[in-house]
Amino acid sequence: MLVVVSWVSFWLDKDAVPARVSLGVTTLLTMTTQASGINSKLPPVSYIKAVDVWIGVCLAFIFGALLEYAVVNYYGRKEFLKNQEKSKKLTRMEDCACPGDRPALRLDLSSYRKKTWSPRLPAWFSIIGKTKELSRKVDLISRITFPSLFTAFLIFYYFFYVVEYIPDEKNGSK
């Protein structure tokens, strides 16, 4: 459940820094506390237990969600600074004596050319392609990849650790 809660940050605005950071850190600390509580109740052994694999992967996914926001924040700041520079250039252009009420003249003929057929992409890919902000694309891609990878892990874990190690009823062991 903590892993799924950590994915809520993908749906929050990239500028909601306190909300996203506190959600990521809280889920990471909660999972760490859970892991230490579980490990303290189990006897120490020299091999890796199934619960160790489970906890390790869950910690990796929660840390990955926090790391994803670090990437989103980094690119979001770069995009913000780039937009600031563009707005400074635009204010200098407004100082010219050119009339501003006329629409801009297009020098290329791309809008007049006949449109060619292109294959339709799934809705998620078209949404990702429409946005120009890399930070937004990272969030959109994470909304798909994190749950997909975790589902793949759940399937692997279930078949490898649960089904594979169920004792055989006839012999009493595998």
Side-chain angles (χ1 to χ4, degrees):
M1 187 171 108
L2 287 171
V3 174
V4 175
V5 169
S6 71
W7 299 338
V8 171
S9 68
F10 303 151
W11 297 90
L12 296 175
D13 186 32
K14 69 179 181 187
D15 296 325
V17 177
R20 287 185 78 155
V21 169
S22 62
L23 180 67
V25 170
T26 302
T27 53
L28 188 63
L29 290 174
T30 305
M31 188 65 205
T32 305
T33 304
Q34 291 286 330
S36 64
I38 290 169
N39 282 330
S40 68
K41 293 177 184 176
L42 295 174
V45 292
S46 61
Y47 53 86
I48 297 176
K49 300 178 290 286
V51 73
D52 294 333
V53 173
W54 176 264
I55 290 170
V57 171
C58 288
L59 278 168
F61 270 96
I62 292 171
F63 184 73
L66 190 58
L67 191 63
E68 183 268 351
Y69 180 62
V71 171
V72 167
N73 192 24
Y74 173 76
Y75 284 111
R77 288 177 185 265
K78 282 180 71 171
E79 291 160 0
F80 177 76
L81 292 174
K82 189 185 300 183
N83 289 339
Q84 287 285 336
E85 289 175 11
K86 284 183 183 178
S87 68
K88 287 180 183 177
K89 290 178 183 177
L90 289 177
T91 54
R92 282 190 241 134
M93 292 298 289
E94 290 173 354
D95 294 338
C96 73
C98 305
D101 55 347
R102 276 191 292 166
L105 179 64
R106 290 188 59 95
L107 297 177
D108 64 327
L109 299 175
S110 62
S111 62
Y112 301 109
R113 292 188 182 129
K114 189 175 181 180
K115 300 218 182 234
T116 60
W117 180 83
S118 63
R120 301 287 292 166
L121 295 173
W124 277 99
F125 292 118
S126 65
I127 291 171
I128 292 170
K130 286 180 185 175
T131 183
K132 293 181 181 179
E133 298 176 342
L134 183 60
S135 59
R136 177 100 169 110
K137 285 182 182 183
V138 170
D139 266 344
L140 291 172
I141 291 170
S142 296
R143 291 178 192 178
I144 300 166
T145 56
F146 273 75
S148 300
L149 290 174
F150 193 68
T151 302
F153 165 72
L154 289 176
I155 292 168
F156 167 79
Y157 186 84
Y158 177 76
F159 283 113
F160 188 77
Y161 284 110
V162 178
V163 174
E164 192 71 26
Y165 290 103
I166 293 177
D168 191 11
E169 294 177 10
K170 294 177 186 176
N171 300 336
S173 65
K174 179 84 180 139

